[in-house]
Amino acid sequence: MASSPSRRRPALILFVVIAAGACLALGWWQWTRFEAAGGTGQNLGYAFQWPLFAAFVVYAYRRFVQLEDADPEAPVAGADEGPREIPADLLPQRASVGAAATIGTDVDDPEVEAIAAYNNYLAQIRAEGDRSTT
C-alpha cells in the first residue's frame, strides 16, 4: 500500500528528525571532547563521523519514499528478462579426487591410502543415499 505524495507517515518523519538530531548532537559532543584537555584524534574522527550518520538517515528516508512511490509494475532499469546462465568457463575446473590425492605425494604413503579409502567410503554412502531417495 503506497502512500500518497502528500502523506509521508508522520511517525517515520519524526523518527528521522530525532535520529538525525541525535547523530548531530553526538557529533557536537565528540567535538567538545576533542577540544578538551584530554581530547584525542579518535574524538575528532567521531566528530566527523556522526554527521555522516545523520546524512545517511536522511538519505535512507528519501530513498525509502522514492521506492514507495515507484510504480511496482514499471520495469526496473538494468533488469534483464529472466535468469541468466553462468558461463561454463567462468569458474576454474576442479581436479578429480584421485588426482588431487596423489599430486606431489608418494603413492605408497599410508596417509594417502587412508584418505583414498575414506573418500571411497563417503562415495559409497552417497551412492546409497541417492538410491534410497529416488
Side-chain angles (χ1 to χ4, degrees), residues 50-82:
W50 280 111
L52 293 177
F53 290 153
F56 177 76
V57 168
V58 173
Y59 168 78
Y61 173 73
R62 182 177 168 270
R63 184 69 179 139
F64 171 76
V65 170
Q66 287 176 349
L67 291 175
E68 190 177 46
D69 288 343
D71 184 17
E73 295 179 8
V76 177
D80 293 336
E81 298 178 11

Side-chain angles (χ1 to χ4, degrees), residues 12-95:
L12 190 56
I13 293 173
L14 182 64
F15 171 74
V16 169
V17 169
I18 290 172
C23 289
L24 291 174
L26 287 168
W28 179 259
W29 173 64
Q30 287 293 335
W31 181 260
T32 58
R33 295 217 13 154
F34 168 69
E35 289 180 334
T40 64
Q42 185 177 12
N43 296 117
L44 180 63
Y46 285 141
F48 291 129
Q49 188 177 18
W50 280 111
L52 293 177
F53 290 153
F56 177 76
V57 168
V58 173
Y59 168 78
Y61 173 73
R62 182 177 168 270
R63 184 69 179 139
F64 171 76
V65 170
Q66 287 176 349
L67 291 175
E68 190 177 46
D69 288 343
D71 184 17
E73 295 179 8
V76 177
D80 293 336
E81 298 178 11
R84 292 184 291 162
E85 195 170 314
I86 297 176
D89 60 343
L90 179 68
L91 300 175
Q93 297 297 320
R94 291 177 134 185

